[in-house]
Amino acid sequence: MTRKGNRADATRRAWLETIERFRHDRDGPGSERYWSPLLDTASRDEIRAIQEAKLAAAVPFLYENSAFYRRRFNALGLLPSDIGAVDDLIAKWPVVDKTEMAQDALAHPPYGTYTTMSDAVWAERGWMLFSSSGSTGEPRVFRYSHVDRELWAWANARALHAMDVRKSVGLPTIPGGGLDAKARANFVLRYKPTILLSTPTYALYLGRVMQDLGSDPRTSAVRQLFIAGEPGMSVSSTRERIQELWGARLVEFYGCTEAAPSAGGFSCPASLSQDGAVSTHLLEDVQIWEAVDPADRRPLPDGQRGLTVCTNLNSEASPQLRFLVGDYTLLDRTRCACGRTHVRALGSFGGRADDLITLRGIKMFPVQVEQAVRSVGGTGDEFEIVLATTEDGLDIMTVRVEHERFPKAEQVSRQIAGEIRSRCEVRVDVEVLQPGTLPKTEFKASRVKDRRKKQ
Ligand SMILES: [Zn+2]
């Protein structure tokens, strides 16, 4: 074997040993409240010490096993020894974004070189391939190993424990894949699952399908709605609508394929406080989380709203340094009322920077419009945001929404427009439609139709 091959293997082994060293409570919960009391309630100094130890192993591992990272080190004039601590990382290593990864995937098809997965490791202990859709270019691919699968199960167990999911006879699941919504609704009624996993959009949709079938979702066995894939916790009017529909508590998972395998963000017993404030935890011994300025991507102090950046410390296949996940949030590292000491996203996550709408210089998120629309009683679950250019060249936004008081359309329209104006500081037209007019959204909602003439 070549010397380079030796270094690649040696740094991989050192990396795997480091991960194992800090994998406490690997086979079961260490206490009733916390899966891993040692890690989940570690002091800030202890959390930082674990991060430093993992980072010190991750940096050479990446340098020797990812051509993308090695090129980046060279281009920056850095050696792995230059990044020995979290502060070095934040000061010296510019954030990596999706575009950079996509360019690498394009130049090195089909897998790119931004992961540490080699063909040899894939053949020996490969587990599953995850891919971005590739609808807007070369797909970004991530091949995870069985080591990752085990780490994933462990991190998710910690998150699920915080969400009050307890193992009784294992944690049996009923997959709903390949079924239509009516069949899934019947599954809920017949097999009585206590937790429903879906996007927030689908939780709404499925509940309505059950109502159409003559059943009340509130009388089902579902006591917890486990949502992921779209902002949900952060949009209070949507959250309340879903909780009300199901008579169940909403909890959320937050993460991204690039920084798997890990739970990413998760709810805890204190995630939704009495005054309506929400927060979502992140696991800091497995990932380093920061917020950066959306404009220049400089690190922001805690408490300032910015875009999420993740350094992934617990993956054999995809350990990333400062990957721009790109959701707006505000981080807080004070101890949570649940006793966990890890960072929380206050207000949860409000949408990806990619989703931002800019209209006549005003910036807003689709979720802000959603919040406004759903705050008005009687609005339907569906709505559309249509952006267009008038003949005079003026960009305008029309929000199309269904309402049960359709005959009073004008009054409803004024009310919704007022809500949007106060939340987004923008004047829009609101078109009120008869219930059942808009197409039903099942999974992830795609609410924005941009028909503006490009300048
Ligand atoms: Zn908590």
Side-chain angles (χ1 to χ4, degrees), residues 51-53 55-57 59 79-89 92:
Q51 290 178 336
E52 307 278 23
L55 186 66
V59 167
L79 287 169
S81 53
D82 291 321
I83 297 181
V86 176
D87 287 343
D88 294 332
L89 176 75
K92 298 176 186 171

Side-chain angles (χ1 to χ4, degrees), residues 268 270 281 336 338 340 344:
C268 76
H281 275 282
C336 175
C338 78
R340 285 174 181 77
R344 284 173 299 147

Side-chain angles (χ1 to χ4, degrees), residues 162 266-271 279 281 335-342 344:
F266 59 92
S267 307
C268 76
S271 271
S279 61
H281 275 282
R335 180 188 288 263
C336 175
C338 78
R340 285 174 181 77
T341 45
H342 296 233
R344 284 173 299 147

Side-chain angles (χ1 to χ4, degrees), residues 44-60:
R44 295 300 314 170
D45 286 349
E46 287 162 344
I47 291 173
R48 177 54 73 105
I50 296 172
Q51 290 178 336
E52 307 278 23
K54 288 189 176 181
L55 186 66
V59 167

